[in-house]
Amino acid sequence: MDCLFCKIVAGEIPSTKVFEDDRVLAFRDIAPMAPTHILVIPKQHIAGVDEITPENSAIVSYIFEVIPKIAKAEGLDGGYRVVSNIGEDGGQTVRHLHFHILGGKKLSNEMA
Ligand code: AMP
Ligand code: ZN
């Protein structure tokens, strides 16, 4: 499968990792939109939020256990934002489920 983030998981494409275990990888976004911009992904390939099912949804709750730990380690004490873009209209450019952690400044309230 020609998936950029699967290649990052496999180590075929380098990344700046901030967290890794058997199920999840987090790494710095190559084009940061905030002082801290991290992507959290499941190691298993799921295309996006639109491909979450009863069979694979446990990884999502696990990712949301990991996210606050990363945020704490990054010193995002004032808060942060978690975003997942879905499909073309949602602005998703990589079809492997990922959650953006954005922080390190007061973020704009613009949502769309
Ligand atoms: P999205 O547009 O929501 O699908 O997010 C994809 C994100 O992946 C974008 O913010 C890109 O900057 C980021 N990205 C693309 N290629 C890489 C890479 N090789 N390493 C790290 N981040 C990447
Ligand atoms: Zn993938």
Side-chain angles (χ1 to χ4, degrees):
M1 196 193 313
D2 200 28
C3 171
L4 177 68
F5 287 175
C6 282
K7 286 179 182 163
I8 286 179
V9 169
E12 291 162 20
I13 291 174
S15 66
T16 307
K17 293 176 188 178
V18 298
F19 176 87
E20 182 171 21
D21 67 9
D22 56 328
R23 285 178 282 174
V24 168
L25 177 65
F27 52 95
R28 295 197 190 280
D29 195 291
I30 206 166
M33 293 181 57
T36 300
H37 188 170
I38 291 165
L39 302 174
V40 188
I41 71 171
K43 287 193 166 178
Q44 70 183 110
H45 182 85
I46 300 169
V49 167
D50 51 341
E51 297 280 323
I52 292 166
T53 65
E55 288 70 39
N56 66 21
S57 65
I59 191 64
V60 178
S61 59
Y62 183 61
I63 285 173
F64 275 83
E65 288 178 39
V66 168
I67 284 171
K69 291 182 186 159
I70 294 171
K72 193 166 188 203
E74 293 286 321
L76 303 179
D77 303 322
Y80 53 96
R81 183 169 295 158
V82 177
V83 173
S84 191
N85 298 322
I86 300 128
E88 203 179 329
D89 283 359
Q92 187 179 12
T93 59
V94 180
R95 282 292 283 167
H96 181 125
L97 179 65
H98 54 280
F99 296 91
H100 299 255
I101 301 175
L102 297 153
K105 69 169 186 181
K106 177 110 177 95
L107 298 167
S108 134
N109 281 328
E110 223 165 281
M111 291 292 273

